[in-house]
Amino acid sequence: MTSAPAIGFDYAPSRWLQRAMLLVAALAVLAVMSCALPLWIRWMLTAAVLLATWWTRRRLLGSALRAAGWGTQLEWSLHLADNEDVPARLLSFRVLGPFVLLRLHAGDPGVHALLLGPDNSDADIRRRLRMRLATVQPGEALPRL
């Protein structure tokens, strides 16, 4: 079998994920405000939900990751916002319908979770990723930390 070609793609956070997060936060605020707790507790819980949503959205949008690539072997490379390329290891992956979720460990920048979906990646890239991920042996590309 010939080796599979390298796969590279630009990465931007999913807009669908952001919208789903805002919808869940709105439902949480609605649930808190409609419960029978004292008013001051409801306001405190609402503030906590809004603060957690703001913090999570800020982290999601402030990601330093700009692109990722999977070489011909099992090596991954991440391109960061400061034009630095760092090697990475695939920790885990999931294929959920049209979505591909990758968890990559890149040493100093830490663990990056990449959600590739119809709104932030090409269908051909996701198809090629699914095909290559199907051939990965569990112990081969997923080392324990």
Side-chain angles (χ1 to χ4, degrees), residues 17-85:
L17 179 62
Q18 295 173 42
R19 291 178 185 145
M21 180 183 62
L22 293 175
L23 176 66
V24 168
L27 291 173
V29 167
L30 183 64
V32 165
M33 286 310 217
S34 65
C35 69
L37 292 171
L39 185 61
W40 69 274
I41 293 177
R42 287 187 282 170
W43 283 110
M44 294 294 285
L45 290 173
T46 299
V49 167
L50 294 176
L51 182 65
T53 303
W54 172 79
W55 183 78
T56 303
R57 188 167 187 268
R58 187 171 159 256
R59 269 192 71 196
L60 185 66
L61 294 177
S63 174
L65 184 62
R66 297 294 179 248
W70 190 0
T72 56
Q73 299 299 315
L74 295 174
E75 72 274 357
W76 282 83
S77 177
L78 302 179
H79 183 74
L80 304 178
D82 60 357
N83 289 327
E84 180 184 4
D85 289 328

